[in-house]
Every structure is written in C-alpha cells, then in structure tokens.
Amino acid sequence: MKTLLGIIILILAVTNMTNAQIASGGNYTLTQTTIANGGANGNGASISGNYSIEGTIGQSAAGTNQQAATFNFKPGFWTAQPHAPTASSVSIVGRILTANGRGIRNVRITLASPSGETRTVISSPFGYFRFNEVLAGETYIFSVFAKRFTFANPTQVISVMEDIDGLNFVAEQ
C-alpha cells in the first residue's frame, strides 16, 4: 500500500511540474493535498524519505549528475511526443514548348499527389505554368494534355525537394 501511495504521489508531482521547486540536501517531505478524501490514503497524508530524481523538464544542468549524502539528482529532458518535421511549401514552374522552342498556350497540366489529390493549371500565352504551395519531400506525377499537340513524354514523375524552375514538356513535331 505504501508503494502504491508513493507512485500516486510521484505521478501527481510529475503532472503538476509548474509548481516544482528545487531543494537541496537532507531528507525530503512530499505532501499532496487531496479533495474530499479522494486520493492518497484518503486523508491527504504526506510521505517522507530519501528520494532520487532521474529526470525533469527543462533543467539547465541537463545530464549532470549531482549527488549529496541523502539524495541523487540527475536532471534531463522529457518530451511527451517527438517533434515531427514539417514539410515546407515550394513552387513548381515550367513551360510547354514546341519542338522549335516556342511556347504553347492553353495546355492543361495536372499535378497528382501521392494521396491522389490532383491540381490542374492552364499554360499562359507563352507556354508558362506554375504550381504554388506544393509540399516538399513528396513524389508527384505531372501530366500534360493539348488538343493540337502530342508529347513524346506527356508524363513526368518528380521527387520534389525544393523549388523547381524548368519542368518543361516539349511537343513532337
């Protein structure tokens, strides 16, 4: 029962880290107030003894083992969840060209994401197109379609890691 009481008090102390204070030397008394006899041993009891702390949140002396006669304190960092990297947005710019290098207007360019989402743009009068806010770190499928032109390579699969300027499609003669 005393072990269970110690675990409950330790859990309550860890979940209430904003009220934690630094103490030094000697024996420690840890007190937890309960509401309506609802925790601890039913009467808001305290527990005393020597304690060893093996990690706390945000200690400035992270990883430095500090010892005295009646206590052992090894600070460190705890995180609830690992921080996942976030993907940044990039732009994809390209041009639709004839075999002799002139831009082709009104060509439909489609971007398909790994999740199946598609986005479509139409080339400008000089054949330029742009996709904004494309997530980096993914592989995309780019396809073109024109009524009057055919393309030797109408589909390109690109792993996007940064802005791309020069994703071109060239029509056959």
Side-chain angles (χ1 to χ4, degrees):
M1 184 65 171
K2 189 172 185 177
T3 303
L4 180 59
L5 177 61
I7 291 171
I8 291 171
I9 291 175
L10 181 59
I11 290 171
L12 292 173
V14 168
T15 59
N16 194 15
M17 291 302 286
T18 57
N19 294 330
Q21 295 181 0
I22 298 174
S24 62
N27 291 331
Y28 295 92
T29 301
L30 193 63
T31 304
Q32 177 65 45
T33 304
T34 58
I35 300 172
N37 296 329
N41 65 3
N43 62 7
S46 299
I47 187 167
S48 298
N50 293 327
Y51 291 91
S52 175
I53 301 175
E54 290 293 327
T56 58
I57 297 174
Q59 291 294 323
S60 60
T64 305
N65 196 20
Q66 302 169 13
Q67 294 181 335
T70 57
F71 73 92
N72 179 22
F73 177 68
K74 185 173 182 180
F77 294 95
W78 295 346
T79 59
Q81 298 177 356
H83 297 285
T86 59
S88 62
S89 294
V90 298
S91 294
I92 311 296
V93 178
R95 195 168 182 206
I96 311 300
L97 302 164
T98 63
N100 60 5
R102 290 185 305 189
I104 305 171
R105 69 178 181 193
N106 296 328
V107 175
R108 185 175 53 209
I109 305 96
T110 302
L111 172 151
S113 72
S115 66
E117 176 187 348
T118 60
R119 294 164 52 185
T120 301
V121 296
I122 304 296
S123 62
S124 73
F126 298 104
Y128 291 99
F129 67 91
R130 172 185 290 271
F131 289 97
N132 291 319
E133 298 184 22
V134 176
L135 291 180
E138 299 285 343
T139 301
Y140 296 92
I141 300 171
F142 295 87
S143 304
V144 294
F145 173 78
K147 290 182 181 179
R148 299 184 340 203
F149 296 92
T150 60
F151 298 86
N153 189 13
T155 302
Q156 294 185 41
V157 178
I158 307 288
S159 291
V160 176
M161 299 299 167
E162 60 189 5
D163 288 337
I164 295 176
D165 185 12
L167 178 62
N168 298 333
F169 291 88
V170 179
E172 296 178 321
Q173 252 181 244

